[in-house]
Structures are given as C-alpha cells and as structure tokens.
Amino acid sequence: ETFSLGSLVYNGVKYEGVELNLNAHKDELHLKIASSGTVLELNKNIVGEFVIGRRQFLTLVGENAVDGLPQGYYQVLYKGGDTLLKRNIRTFHERLQTSGSGVFRYFDQSNKHYLLKEGKVYPILRNKDFAKVYKEDKKAIKGFIRHNRMKFMEMEEKDPAFVEIMGFADKK
C-alpha cells in the first residue's frame, strides 16, 4: 500500500499532514500513524471530506448519501454550480490457469463518472452525455467538444476532458 500526505475531516475535526491511502477494491480509507507505522481503517460513517495529494474526495454514506449513487468514496473532479464525481472501482479476480500450474490473480479497474445537477444524478460515460444533461446548451457543448478534438474512444484517461467540458457547460 502506498500512502500519500493529505488532510481529513474525521468526526467533524480537520486533520492536516496525515498519511492516507484509499483502497478502491474494498472502498476503505486507511490512515497511517507516522510515529508507529500502524495502519487504521477509518470508519466510513464519520469520515467527511478528505484530500490525498492534490485529489479531493467526498464520503457519500448515511445521511450524506445521494439518491441514485452507490454509497462510498468519490473523487471530486469539478465543483462549481454543478459537481462532477468519479468513483474508482477495482474488482479482484482469481482464475485457475488452463495448464493447471496455479492460480492467476488480477484486478480490473474501472471508473464511473457522475454529474450532480440540481439534486439529480446523471451517469457520464461519453461526451454526448453532457449534451443530454445540458439540453439548452447542446449545440454549444457539441461545438466545444468538436473544436477541442475530444475523442473519448481514443482517450485512456477521460478526466481532464470531462473537467474541461464541465467548466464550459457550467459557465453557460
């Protein structure tokens, strides 16, 4: 596990300069006590917002849960009038090798993006999903995407493009 410096609101108290690790497979937030090296799994029900490195996260569980979103930790990619969230999911797999020589273990990683607009949740899979949410600015958004040559099928990492589109659409 790799830990990074960050900050955390835990049970209403803000802690700065803490070492954190977000386990996307188990959807757990771990805190490393620097003096002893002890690693603690933090109680998701009292974790507020937190920052790991330069990435900001929200905890959407219990009374902070949002209808239409699975409960858990979400990275905040964009926050303005509307909010763009990302959920990183890692799924563990085990398969017997056909040669009978053992077990093959691996993780699949996927990211899900969600736009929160006026209390509603919209899944964002590709560029045209923004135009569906911002119907009144559909032509302008499609023009922005075309002008900036954003072809998501070719993009490994969609986050920077999604953030650019959100910035454009949110200011319309």
Side-chain angles (χ1 to χ4, degrees), residues 89-171:
I89 301 161
R90 295 184 81 199
T91 308
F92 181 72
H93 299 278
E94 278 188 342
R95 291 204 175 124
L96 291 176
Q97 293 191 1
T98 54
S99 62
S101 61
V103 177
F104 180 61
R105 294 178 177 97
Y106 64 97
F107 282 99
D108 274 339
Q109 182 165 323
S110 65
N111 297 315
K112 297 197 180 218
H113 295 83
Y114 301 95
L115 193 155
L116 303 180
K117 182 178 189 242
E118 298 169 358
K120 293 184 182 173
V121 175
Y122 300 91
I124 301 294
L125 301 173
R126 55 191 152 286
N127 58 357
K128 54 177 135 169
D129 293 334
F130 287 98
K132 289 178 186 174
V133 174
Y134 295 99
K135 291 177 184 162
E136 64 281 357
D137 297 315
K138 184 177 185 173
K139 284 185 180 181
I141 291 169
K142 285 185 173 184
F144 177 81
I145 291 167
R146 199 170 24 259
H147 176 75
N148 289 287
R149 298 187 176 114
M150 297 176 177
K151 295 186 178 180
F152 294 133
M153 298 305 285
E154 301 168 6
M155 298 174 80
E156 182 78 21
E157 182 60 54
K158 298 177 182 181
D159 295 358
F162 280 2
V163 170
E164 276 190 61
I165 295 169
M166 276 298 301
F168 177 79
D170 199 32
K171 290 182 178 126

Side-chain angles (χ1 to χ4, degrees), residues 16-81:
E16 299 277 351
V18 293
E19 291 185 67
L20 299 171
N21 170 274
L22 180 59
N23 182 323
H25 168 59
K26 296 180 178 178
D27 199 35
E28 296 173 349
L29 183 62
H30 298 149
L31 169 73
K32 186 176 187 180
I33 308 295
S35 59
S36 65
T38 303
V39 175
L40 303 173
E41 177 190 335
L42 299 177
N43 182 338
K44 196 179 290 181
N45 293 310
I46 55 178
V47 171
E49 60 188 43
F50 58 98
V51 175
I52 299 176
R54 295 173 54 181
R55 298 175 298 152
Q56 180 185 354
F57 294 86
L58 292 176
T59 308
L60 300 178
V61 298
E63 61 188 41
N64 292 325
V66 174
D67 285 342
L69 284 179
Q71 293 193 26
Y73 297 116
Y74 288 84
Q75 184 179 349
V76 179
L77 296 178
Y78 178 89
K79 185 155 181 68

